[in-house]
Amino acid sequence: MYMTGQVGFSKRSRLVEDLAERIRSGRLARGERLPGENQLAATYQVSRGTVRSALSELQRRNLIATETGVGSFVTFDGVALDQSVGWARALADAGSDVTVELLGVERGGPPELVDRHGPLVTIRRLRRSAADPVSLETSAVPAGGALADLPERGLVDGSITATLRAAGLSGTNGEQFIATAPLDGEAAALLERSAGELFLHSIRTTLTSEGALVEHVESLLDPARFRFHLTFGER
């Protein structure tokens, strides 16, 4: 049984608070899938409608993320990551011991992006939590203007976000696609995994209000460490 013996609360509140306490205490670990709606309804002796409402509240608190057709998962350390400040800063603010290894900054990029947006600079980085690699990221940014000499001078404070802001580039909208993909040999070696292992594959393109490219980033993310619940664009 999952009940904690709380009294004086509605059934929905007891369900929310019990699951929230289990998540915050670590008894439901990050990346762990919650029991299904039917199982929760039977365990807590509530309706499925109450379960759905409780899960929505947990998601609003950024404690879980729900994937349609898959289930609800505990989010990364129960903390939402603000990508607007850059992932390294967001993960650090969330209490994660994350380091970033710069693999290279060079001119060029995928031909289809060059055709669409003009000359590019590509930045590759590997992120580690403690000693374990957790993501491999390849970012393409415009090669003109204030970023023309980026391969020679490097990133501002080691941050792509800070570099783009210093260059006056600010994204207002874009799109992101997330799927799974098997690691090829090069990526597997960098991530210290086996070739063919499935990782989350995120493709995120950020644009200015005029439709100019700010950043196109492809990330391979350890699925045991990352779950997504995103809103994106101006409101």
Side-chain angles (χ1 to χ4, degrees):
M1 293 289 288
Y2 285 89
M3 299 300 288
T4 60
Q6 296 163 310
V7 295
F9 293 91
S10 69
K11 290 182 177 180
R12 175 184 179 277
S13 295
R14 286 199 298 270
L15 174 52
V16 169
E17 296 307 321
D18 190 71
L19 290 175
E21 190 276 332
R22 288 176 176 274
I23 291 169
R24 293 192 179 102
S25 69
R27 283 182 287 167
L28 286 172
R30 64 177 176 234
E32 187 172 344
R33 185 164 68 177
L34 270 62
E37 289 182 3
N38 287 335
Q39 185 176 343
L40 287 172
T43 299
Y44 287 90
Q45 299 180 359
V46 297
S47 68
R48 286 187 63 186
T50 298
V51 170
R52 292 192 192 102
S53 178
L55 294 178
S56 294
E57 174 61 18
L58 291 170
Q59 185 163 307
R60 187 191 68 79
R61 297 184 188 184
N62 297 311
L63 293 173
I64 67 169
T66 298
E67 300 177 18
T68 303
V70 179
S72 296
F73 296 82
V74 178
T75 53
F76 188 85
D77 287 332
V79 177
L81 301 183
D82 179 6
Q83 294 189 66
S84 67
V85 300
W87 278 31
R89 168 75 179 279
L91 288 166
D93 289 348
S96 296
D97 180 16
V98 175
T99 59
V100 182
E101 178 183 346
L102 181 64
L103 302 178
V105 181
E106 58 187 30
R107 300 186 190 281
E112 64 276 13
L113 286 179
V114 173
D115 290 343
R116 190 180 313 159
H117 299 290
L120 301 171
V121 173
T122 295
I123 305 118
R124 298 186 74 213
R125 298 182 299 174
L126 182 72
R127 297 188 193 276
R128 294 178 180 271
S129 179
D132 299 324
V134 295
S135 74
L136 176 63
E137 297 159 25
T138 302
S139 296
V141 300
L147 299 178
D149 62 346
L150 183 57
E152 290 74 32
R153 63 180 170 83
L155 301 173
V156 174
D157 296 329
S159 166
I160 293 178
T161 301
T163 301
L164 294 173
R165 286 180 177 168
L169 289 174
S170 177
T172 60
N173 60 88
E175 60 184 355
Q176 183 162 12
F177 298 91
I178 302 167
T180 56
L183 299 177
D184 63 22
E186 180 186 7
L190 289 168
L191 289 163
E192 301 174 12
R193 301 300 180 92
S194 301
E197 184 172 343
L198 288 178
F199 258 49
L200 291 175
H201 181 209
S202 165
I203 302 174
R204 186 174 191 260
T205 302
T206 306
L207 306 171
T208 68
S209 57
E210 292 78 27
L213 179 69
V214 175
E215 182 185 15
H216 175 91
V217 56
E218 294 197 30
S219 304
L220 290 167
L221 305 159
D222 183 349
R225 305 300 299 273
F226 292 90
R227 296 285 175 188
F228 285 87
H229 173 211
L230 302 173
T231 58
F232 196 12
E234 281 190 327
R235 293 186 178 182

